[in-house]
Structures are given as C-alpha cells and as structure tokens.
Amino acid sequence: DIQMTQSPSSLSASVGDRVTITCRASRSISNYLNWYQQKPGKAPKLLIFAASSLQSGVPSRFSGSGSGTDFTLTISSLQPGDFATYYCQHSYGIPQSFGQGTKLEIK
Amino acid sequence: EVQLVQSGGGLVQPGGSLRLSCAASGLTFRNYAMNWVRQAPGKGLECVSAINNNGDSTYYANSVKGRFTISRDDSRNTLYLQMGSLRPEDMAVYYCARVDWNYGGLSYWGQGSLVTVSS
C-alpha cells in the first residue's frame, strides 16, 4: 500500500499569511493526488484534484503543485474561514490512503 | 444536485452488528465507485471499504476485513456497509463518498454516521 506523509502536523498562521503544506507519497503516484479541507463536525471538502486542478467553487487562493512523490498545497492569503484541518489523499489505485492531516490554527 | 444521505448509525455493544446506508440522488448511481471513510474521535481519515461501479470488486482495510461487508443496490441508489463483530476501536464517524471519474477524488460526501461501540 502507498503511504502518505504530511507535514507539518500543525501550523499557526495569521489572516493574510501565505502557507504551504507538503505531502509525500511512499512511491510515485504521478499526479493522482487530492487535497481536502475539513472543519469540525463536517465532512471533508475536496479542494484540489489531480495535484493542481481547482475543484469547482473553490477560491483561487488555494493552489496545488507537484508530481511523482512530492506535493504541496498553498493558500496564498489566509482568510478566517481557512482555519481547518487539511488532508492529502492519493487516488493511484486502491486503497486511496490519506495523509495524517495538518491542523491550521490562528496565531 | 448530488446528495448522499446516510442512516443507520448508533450505539452498539462490543461484538454487535450495525448496517449503515447511504442513499444517493442527483446522479446516475450505477456509474460510480463508492467509498466508506471513517474518522475516529480526534483522529484522521481512513478508507475502510470501497466498491466499484459494477459491484464486482471490493476493498477492505485490514482492520475490518472479515467483519465488514460493502454492497450496493443500484435499483435503490443505495450503498451499504454491514458491520459485524464490532470492537471499541471501530467507534468513529463513518462517511460514504462518491469517487469521481477523473483522478478519483471524493467530491461528494454523506453527512456522516456516528457509530459508538460501548457496553
């Protein structure tokens, strides 16, 4: 099975900051990498699919990059509603495993 | 509008059984693979089971293999997860999710079903 490792596990930032979260796969997954945002008590929300494609309705301050084993999610200017937990997930076959999550908190 | 509406969670004793349902609307259900993803309290996301669009290929995490069964009834547009021999470590919120055709992202999720395993 492919293992996904995210870093950092938590991050403190301020409104307006630029933040980057990284995700590494245990072997190459091409660009079969998705990013989700989850707020407490809610289902995850797909932000980015295919490593860099923005899901419909997601603000353009969210962007993704990478291929192979190393990927990043960048939020260009944090807004109050962006404080949440973020997960990467590969979809390069079954099982589609998730990273352990990055909790983004207000500084 | 695509909707996935879950039912069937609740409190069950260790060793007991429970069936989760996920009723889909606003999509051609038979065309999509589906996943069950769980989240234990304060923990991350884990895909515990998956089924392809035909229903003839399934996946189970090692932690649930032999105890859980995923199935689908395309005539009812409904996904199921039959859970047996439940353990305290199975306690979690369980989500159903639709697998997108392009790149396999999960763009639609159910609202979640809380499964509590306790005596």
Side-chain angles (χ1 to χ4, degrees), chain B residues 37-54:
Chain B
V37 177
R38 73 181 178 186
Q39 187 168 39
K43 302 297 185 182
L45 301 169
E46 177 190 19
C47 179
V48 295
S49 190
I51 189 167
N52 69 350
N53 62 314
N54 293 326

mmCIF file of all heavy atoms in Angstrom, chain B residues 37-54:
data_model
loop_
_atom_site.group_PDB
_atom_site.id
_atom_site.type_symbol
_atom_site.label_atom_id
_atom_site.label_comp_id
_atom_site.label_asym_id
_atom_site.label_seq_id
_atom_site.Cartn_x
_atom_site.Cartn_y
_atom_site.Cartn_z
ATOM 1 N N VAL B 37 -15.435 5.940 4.349
ATOM 2 C CA VAL B 37 -14.284 6.532 5.033
ATOM 3 C C VAL B 37 -14.697 6.785 6.480
ATOM 4 O O VAL B 37 -15.787 7.300 6.730
ATOM 5 C CB VAL B 37 -13.877 7.860 4.368
ATOM 6 C CG1 VAL B 37 -12.726 8.523 5.138
ATOM 7 C CG2 VAL B 37 -13.492 7.641 2.909
ATOM 8 N N ARG B 38 -13.839 6.418 7.414
ATOM 9 C CA ARG B 38 -14.186 6.656 8.817
ATOM 10 C C ARG B 38 -13.175 7.574 9.486
ATOM 11 O O ARG B 38 -12.040 7.713 9.034
ATOM 12 C CB ARG B 38 -14.316 5.361 9.594
ATOM 13 C CG ARG B 38 -13.019 4.644 9.917
ATOM 14 C CD ARG B 38 -13.311 3.348 10.690
ATOM 15 N NE ARG B 38 -12.094 2.605 10.982
ATOM 16 C CZ ARG B 38 -12.079 1.392 11.540
ATOM 17 N NH1 ARG B 38 -13.225 0.787 11.866
ATOM 18 N NH2 ARG B 38 -10.930 0.786 11.778
ATOM 19 N N GLN B 39 -13.634 8.169 10.579
ATOM 20 C CA GLN B 39 -12.800 9.079 11.350
ATOM 21 C C GLN B 39 -13.071 8.849 12.832
ATOM 22 O O GLN B 39 -14.142 9.197 13.338
ATOM 23 C CB GLN B 39 -13.104 10.530 10.965
ATOM 24 C CG GLN B 39 -12.171 11.538 11.598
ATOM 25 C CD GLN B 39 -12.330 12.911 10.974
ATOM 26 O OE1 GLN B 39 -13.428 13.354 10.653
ATOM 27 N NE2 GLN B 39 -11.208 13.604 10.784
ATOM 28 N N ALA B 40 -12.117 8.228 13.493
ATOM 29 C CA ALA B 40 -12.228 8.020 14.934
ATOM 30 C C ALA B 40 -12.122 9.373 15.643
ATOM 31 O O ALA B 40 -11.575 10.332 15.083
ATOM 32 C CB ALA B 40 -11.126 7.076 15.408
ATOM 33 N N PRO B 41 -12.645 9.473 16.857
ATOM 34 C CA PRO B 41 -12.634 10.756 17.574
ATOM 35 C C PRO B 41 -11.237 11.361 17.658
ATOM 36 O O PRO B 41 -10.299 10.722 18.127
ATOM 37 C CB PRO B 41 -13.165 10.384 18.964
ATOM 38 C CG PRO B 41 -13.995 9.179 18.732
ATOM 39 C CD PRO B 41 -13.324 8.416 17.627
ATOM 40 N N GLY B 42 -11.100 12.584 17.155
ATOM 41 C CA GLY B 42 -9.828 13.293 17.215
ATOM 42 C C GLY B 42 -8.754 12.772 16.284
ATOM 43 O O GLY B 42 -7.593 13.196 16.383
ATOM 44 N N LYS B 43 -9.109 11.874 15.391
ATOM 45 C CA LYS B 43 -8.126 11.243 14.505
ATOM 46 C C LYS B 43 -8.353 11.635 13.050
ATOM 47 O O LYS B 43 -9.249 12.412 12.731
ATOM 48 C CB LYS B 43 -8.200 9.713 14.643
ATOM 49 C CG LYS B 43 -7.971 9.214 16.061
ATOM 50 C CD LYS B 43 -6.587 9.549 16.570
ATOM 51 C CE LYS B 43 -6.341 8.944 17.943
ATOM 52 N NZ LYS B 43 -4.982 9.313 18.468
ATOM 53 N N GLY B 44 -7.532 11.067 12.166
ATOM 54 C CA GLY B 44 -7.597 11.372 10.750
ATOM 55 C C GLY B 44 -8.568 10.480 9.999
ATOM 56 O O GLY B 44 -9.369 9.744 10.583
ATOM 57 N N LEU B 45 -8.482 10.566 8.684
ATOM 58 C CA LEU B 45 -9.400 9.861 7.793
ATOM 59 C C LEU B 45 -8.813 8.528 7.352
ATOM 60 O O LEU B 45 -7.626 8.445 7.034
ATOM 61 C CB LEU B 45 -9.674 10.731 6.558
ATOM 62 C CG LEU B 45 -10.282 12.104 6.843
ATOM 63 C CD1 LEU B 45 -10.245 12.964 5.589
ATOM 64 C CD2 LEU B 45 -11.701 11.974 7.371
ATOM 65 N N GLU B 46 -9.667 7.513 7.315
ATOM 66 C CA GLU B 46 -9.252 6.176 6.901
ATOM 67 C C GLU B 46 -10.300 5.591 5.967
ATOM 68 O O GLU B 46 -11.469 5.475 6.339
ATOM 69 C CB GLU B 46 -9.083 5.262 8.117
ATOM 70 C CG GLU B 46 -8.726 3.836 7.761
ATOM 71 C CD GLU B 46 -8.795 2.871 8.937
ATOM 72 O OE1 GLU B 46 -9.458 3.179 9.958
ATOM 73 O OE2 GLU B 46 -8.202 1.781 8.830
ATOM 74 N N CYS B 47 -9.878 5.194 4.776
ATOM 75 C CA CYS B 47 -10.774 4.484 3.870
ATOM 76 C C CYS B 47 -10.869 3.047 4.337
ATOM 77 O O CYS B 47 -9.883 2.317 4.317
ATOM 78 C CB CYS B 47 -10.266 4.558 2.443
ATOM 79 S SG CYS B 47 -11.306 3.674 1.271
ATOM 80 N N VAL B 48 -12.048 2.637 4.793
ATOM 81 C CA VAL B 48 -12.204 1.277 5.322
ATOM 82 C C VAL B 48 -12.743 0.303 4.280
ATOM 83 O O VAL B 48 -12.514 -0.898 4.383
ATOM 84 C CB VAL B 48 -13.102 1.223 6.574
ATOM 85 C CG1 VAL B 48 -12.443 1.966 7.728
ATOM 86 C CG2 VAL B 48 -14.483 1.771 6.291
ATOM 87 N N SER B 49 -13.456 0.814 3.276
ATOM 88 C CA SER B 49 -14.021 -0.082 2.281
ATOM 89 C C SER B 49 -14.344 0.693 1.013
ATOM 90 O O SER B 49 -14.599 1.906 1.060
ATOM 91 C CB SER B 49 -15.277 -0.763 2.819
ATOM 92 O OG SER B 49 -15.704 -1.799 1.959
ATOM 93 N N ALA B 50 -14.308 -0.009 -0.118
ATOM 94 C CA ALA B 50 -14.623 0.607 -1.401
ATOM 95 C C ALA B 50 -15.279 -0.445 -2.294
ATOM 96 O O ALA B 50 -15.047 -1.648 -2.131
ATOM 97 C CB ALA B 50 -13.358 1.157 -2.052
ATOM 98 N N ILE B 51 -16.070 0.037 -3.242
ATOM 99 C CA ILE B 51 -16.731 -0.850 -4.194
ATOM 100 C C ILE B 51 -16.745 -0.172 -5.560
ATOM 101 O O ILE B 51 -16.951 1.050 -5.650
ATOM 102 C CB ILE B 51 -18.162 -1.211 -3.716
ATOM 103 C CG1 ILE B 51 -18.794 -2.303 -4.577
ATOM 104 C CG2 ILE B 51 -19.045 0.030 -3.648
ATOM 105 C CD1 ILE B 51 -20.055 -2.906 -3.960
ATOM 106 N N ASN B 52 -16.507 -0.947 -6.605
ATOM 107 C CA ASN B 52 -16.509 -0.342 -7.934
ATOM 108 C C ASN B 52 -17.940 -0.146 -8.433
ATOM 109 O O ASN B 52 -18.914 -0.517 -7.765
ATOM 110 C CB ASN B 52 -15.661 -1.155 -8.907
ATOM 111 C CG ASN B 52 -16.270 -2.519 -9.244
ATOM 112 O OD1 ASN B 52 -17.232 -2.957 -8.619
ATOM 113 N ND2 ASN B 52 -15.692 -3.177 -10.232
ATOM 114 N N ASN B 53 -18.066 0.444 -9.608
ATOM 115 C CA ASN B 53 -19.401 0.788 -10.090
ATOM 116 C C ASN B 53 -20.226 -0.454 -10.405
ATOM 117 O O ASN B 53 -21.454 -0.439 -10.286
ATOM 118 C CB ASN B 53 -19.332 1.709 -11.300
ATOM 119 C CG ASN B 53 -18.643 1.068 -12.489
ATOM 120 O OD1 ASN B 53 -17.593 0.462 -12.353
ATOM 121 N ND2 ASN B 53 -19.223 1.212 -13.662
ATOM 122 N N ASN B 54 -19.565 -1.546 -10.783
ATOM 123 C CA ASN B 54 -20.289 -2.781 -11.103
ATOM 124 C C ASN B 54 -20.656 -3.601 -9.873
ATOM 125 O O ASN B 54 -21.489 -4.506 -9.958
ATOM 126 C CB ASN B 54 -19.439 -3.671 -12.016
ATOM 127 C CG ASN B 54 -19.230 -3.066 -13.384
ATOM 128 O OD1 ASN B 54 -20.111 -2.386 -13.901
ATOM 129 N ND2 ASN B 54 -18.060 -3.282 -13.961
#
